Amino acid sequence: MRDFTTTYFTMVEADALDYVKTRLSFFPDDAELTCKEIGDGNLNYVFRIIDTKTGKSLIVKQAGPVARISDEFKLSPDRNRIESEILSLQHKLAPGFVPMMFHYDPIMNCCAMEDLSDHEIMRTALLQYKKFPLFADHITTFLVNTLLLTSDVVMDHKEKKELVKQFINPELCEITEDLVFTEPFIDHPRNDVFEATKEFIQENIWGDPELALETAKLKLEFMTNAQSLLHGDLHTGSIFIKEDSTKIIDPEFAFYGPIGYDVGNVIANLIFAYVHARATIDDEAKKVDYMSYLEDTIVDTIDLYKDKFMVAWDEKALDPVASYPGFKEYYIGKVLDNTAAVTGLELCRRIIGIAHVKDITSIQDQDKRAAAEKICLSVGKMLILEREWVKTGEDYVKVIREFEQLF
Ligand code: SR1
Ligand code: MG
């Protein structure tokens, strides 16, 4: 058995099993444990350990020194500390919406947490056309509780600044700065463009100086506006879901940034599911039904978010300036501008950049995939350029409808 107490190394299944037996007291001594590596993300190793006698189970997540997607990305395994600490904090701010943390190990850069195998990854579920009527309500509670409640309008300012320090996350932020804000909007060697969409991208994205300028402003906003403690990578692959429960996982990109970054990521990834359904459901009635479910979810997520934010502001915003007439409306207005822009950025970067989404890459018909990509890019561009005019759920639906007619 290898030594887990002195030097970090990346574990394989047998190591994770030994780790759980020797370093944790989660299972009884007579447990019959099996271990499987189940990670399918871009960065980490995820082991599920099950006691076959009782069915009791646990997840061990370890941060590797390089990203799984490409060893070009060398990353400090300290992101596992960030993930462990923010999950503990979010558990207090938004009880029931994150997995329970049991253990963090700063030598092995791993943590142990609740196994959510009775849930499924939301992206996978949406690609199977499943519906989750409670999602918009759940995610908006999570967003308001984790974002507004970690902002300066609610928190003691010195305590907030301590959190800013605790969650400084330069390497993961750099990935976002590069992969979301920079590379997709220039002809960068790391981009990975679908051949049938390339000309469209050259003309409409890389060839547009006005768009480039707006992405520069948004990048600086992302880097300098320490507004709230973000999840930082809130796509549908970071959400475990079942009919009556939503759990937000994988907050390793957490840092203090602009609120719209989390909300916009949720909306963009609902739009990916929407264009996937449009391209892949043959039965017309089923297609209309599923797409309108996703439209409703987009509308409800924006509108409920705004409503709950306003209510929470009235109850919890303690800074004296929070009650000045018009300030709440100004603040939420800025958050909604940024939300629209980030929705647009995420829509473009998942099509053009290195990190794609299955919603798009799994569309087998090449013409339909190209059409889906052009809708995402057109909607994305419009949301970036016209962000100040996109304030309600219905505004998003109008933009989507406008462009889906064209492709
Ligand atoms: C190198 S990491 C690529 C992407 O995967 C993560 O989930 C983030 O979305 C990141 O941009
Ligand atoms: Mg992730």
Side-chain angles (χ1 to χ4, degrees), residues 41-43 67 69-70 73 75 175-176 179-180 232-233 235 238 252-253 261 346 349-350 354-355:
N42 293 327
L43 298 179
I69 187 177
S70 153
F73 298 99
L75 303 168
I175 292 184
T176 304
L179 298 194
V180 178
D233 194 25
H235 55 82
S238 298
E252 66 205 321
F253 281 77
Y261 195 76
E346 173 77 356
R349 75 98 167 200
R350 295 288 189 183
I354 189 180

Side-chain angles (χ1 to χ4, degrees), residues 61 82-83 86-87 90 97-99 139 142-143 146-147 150 167 169 172-173 176 222 228-240 247-263 265-266 350:
K61 181 170 179 180
I82 294 209
E83 173 159 358
I86 194 179
L87 281 174
Q90 288 177 337
F97 289 109
V98 293
I139 195 73
F142 173 81
L143 289 166
T146 58
L147 297 173
T150 57
F167 290 101
N169 196 353
L172 282 278
C173 283
T176 304
F222 177 81
S228 287
L229 183 55
L230 307 186
H231 175 285
D233 194 25
L234 223 181
H235 55 82
T236 45
S238 298
I239 299 171
F240 259 126
K247 303 272 187 186
I248 317 313
I249 60 167
D250 274 1
E252 66 205 321
F253 281 77
F255 80 112
Y256 258 86
I259 292 177
Y261 195 76
D262 275 356
V263 192
N265 264 287
V266 173
R350 295 288 189 183

Side-chain angles (χ1 to χ4, degrees), residues 380-405:
K381 179 174 172 173
M382 170 74 106
L383 292 176
I384 293 169
L385 294 178
E386 303 293 331
R387 56 189 179 279
E388 287 175 19
W389 308 111
V390 183
K391 290 276 195 274
T392 66
E394 261 320 305
D395 293 340
Y396 285 82
V397 171
K398 274 188 216 143
V399 178
I400 296 166
R401 293 237 177 102
E402 180 181 335
F403 287 107
E404 71 177 333
Q405 288 168 21

Side-chain angles (χ1 to χ4, degrees), residues 120-139:
E120 57 188 324
I121 289 291
M122 186 175 182
R123 189 184 307 286
T124 312
L126 295 180
L127 297 192
Q128 294 163 3
Y129 318 121
K130 294 184 184 166
K131 295 182 183 176
F132 300 96
L134 299 180
F135 172 72
D137 183 34
H138 287 172
I139 195 73

Side-chain angles (χ1 to χ4, degrees), residues 126-223:
L126 295 180
L127 297 192
Q128 294 163 3
Y129 318 121
K130 294 184 184 166
K131 295 182 183 176
F132 300 96
L134 299 180
F135 172 72
D137 183 34
H138 287 172
I139 195 73
T140 51
T141 299
F142 173 81
L143 289 166
V144 170
N145 285 14
T146 58
L147 297 173
L148 182 64
L149 302 194
T150 57
S151 72
D152 279 299
V153 285
V154 171
M155 283 191 79
D156 171 82
H157 298 175
K158 290 204 276 302
E159 284 172 20
K160 182 251 181 177
K161 286 178 178 70
E162 283 302 318
L163 281 186
V164 175
K165 269 203 279 185
Q166 184 182 343
F167 290 101
I168 287 285
N169 196 353
E171 290 175 348
L172 282 278
C173 283
E174 185 181 43
I175 292 184
T176 304
E177 289 150 23
D178 292 343
L179 298 194
V180 178
F181 290 88
T182 311
E183 296 174 11
F185 300 97
I186 53 178
D187 187 0
H188 190 280
R190 206 152 52 185
N191 286 332
D192 180 16
V193 168
F194 183 53
E195 204 45 46
T197 320
K198 191 163 191 180
E199 206 177 313
F200 186 87
I201 294 169
Q202 283 164 336
E203 277 172 25
N204 295 281
I205 307 290
W206 297 339
D208 187 337
E210 195 194 344
L211 181 63
L213 174 60
E214 295 313 308
T215 63
K217 293 178 195 169
L218 292 163
K219 183 176 175 180
L220 263 287
E221 163 91 0
F222 177 81
M223 294 172 75

